[in-house]
């Protein structure tokens, strides 16, 4: 199963390298794209849940690394929840 990483820039300009066990992230985001925080969180949740289920279908168990990544994304996102104009940039994909 092709895994990948994707680098995001948070509203405070910090960057994080995120993990996905599947290329499905590319179905939700594009390099250089900037999206509202809420959209980023929702799309990340959907994509990483799909990625985890793809692992389950292939190996018989969900991908805990995808769910850990989702938890980190959601935790970081909470720090910016009070900023109505908070946006996240998808810097690049690393396959």
């Amino acid at each position: 199963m092709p895994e990948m990483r994707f680098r995001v820039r948070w509203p405070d300009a910090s960057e994080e390298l995120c993990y996905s066990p599947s290329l499905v992230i590319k179905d939700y985001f594009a390099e250089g794209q900037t999206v509202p925080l809420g959209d980023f969180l929702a799309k990340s949740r959907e994509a990483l849940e799909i990625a985890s289920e793809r692992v389950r279908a292939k190996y018989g168990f969900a991908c805990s690394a995808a769910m850990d990544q989702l938890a980190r994304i959601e935790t970081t996102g909470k720090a910016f929840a009070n900023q109505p104009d908070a946006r996240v940039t998808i810097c690049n994909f690393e396959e």
Side-chain angles (χ1 to χ4, degrees):
M1 178 159 274
E3 64 182 19
M4 67 173 299
R5 288 174 173 62
F6 56 105
R7 184 174 303 280
V8 300
R9 184 175 309 115
W10 292 100
D12 66 355
S14 65
E15 292 187 2
E16 179 178 357
L17 187 61
C18 300
Y19 171 80
S20 173
S22 165
L23 302 179
V24 70
I25 292 292
K26 290 179 144 186
D27 294 339
Y28 288 80
F29 300 113
E31 287 186 346
Q33 179 183 25
T34 299
V35 295
L37 175 64
D39 289 350
F40 174 72
L41 295 175
K43 288 178 179 182
S44 293
R45 186 176 307 110
E46 187 172 341
L48 288 169
E49 286 175 354
I50 289 169
S52 181
E53 286 305 310
R54 287 182 179 178
V55 171
R56 183 189 309 277
K58 185 168 184 175
Y59 298 107
F61 52 86
C63 181
S64 60
M67 294 299 90
D68 290 346
Q69 180 62 69
L70 177 57
R72 284 191 301 278
I73 286 171
E74 290 180 337
T75 297
T76 302
K78 286 179 186 177
F80 307 106
N82 63 344
Q83 298 177 21
D85 60 341
R87 298 178 70 78
V88 178
T89 300
I90 311 306
C91 299
N92 65 299
F93 297 126
E94 298 177 14
E95 294 179 46

